[in-house]
Amino acid sequence: ILKGVMELGLRINVCFGFAIAENSIDANSYRPSDIIKSYKGLTVEVENTDAEGRLILIDAMAYIQDVYKPKCLIDLATLTGTTTIALGHFTNG
């Protein structure tokens, strides 16, 4: 995306955010029924421990919206699982 913007000589601001999660098992890992607090202050009950990538992505998107206030936000995540549940019907995952 950045290369295309540069080659076209577009005079726009582009911001890249990277939401990265590591699948790690230890005593501090969250478990089904744990309640965690999101960046926006919403609480989320963990029903599936495979959802860490989606939770990190949503927090990163909320942070970018708060700090940079973009006119457009593009998600290029390679998430697996139930992205429609996490992101809704009008967002692509």
Side-chain angles (χ1 to χ4, degrees), residues 14-58:
V14 178
C15 171
F16 292 90
F18 295 88
I20 301 170
E22 177 182 10
N23 290 331
S24 181
I25 300 172
D26 73 7
N28 296 318
S29 298
Y30 57 76
R31 296 171 176 81
S33 79
D34 282 355
I35 306 292
I36 59 175
K37 190 174 186 181
S38 73
Y39 169 81
K40 281 199 161 188
L42 303 173
T43 54
V44 178
E45 180 179 0
V46 175
E47 292 183 5
N48 181 340
T49 56
D50 189 38
E52 75 285 342
R54 292 183 287 275
L55 295 169
I56 295 296
L57 174 63
I58 288 300

Side-chain angles (χ1 to χ4, degrees), residues 2 15-21 53 56-57 59-61 63-64 68 76-77:
L2 180 58
C15 171
F16 292 90
F18 295 88
I20 301 170
I56 295 296
L57 174 63
D59 276 354
M61 291 172 75
Y63 175 82
I64 289 168
Y68 297 101
L76 299 176

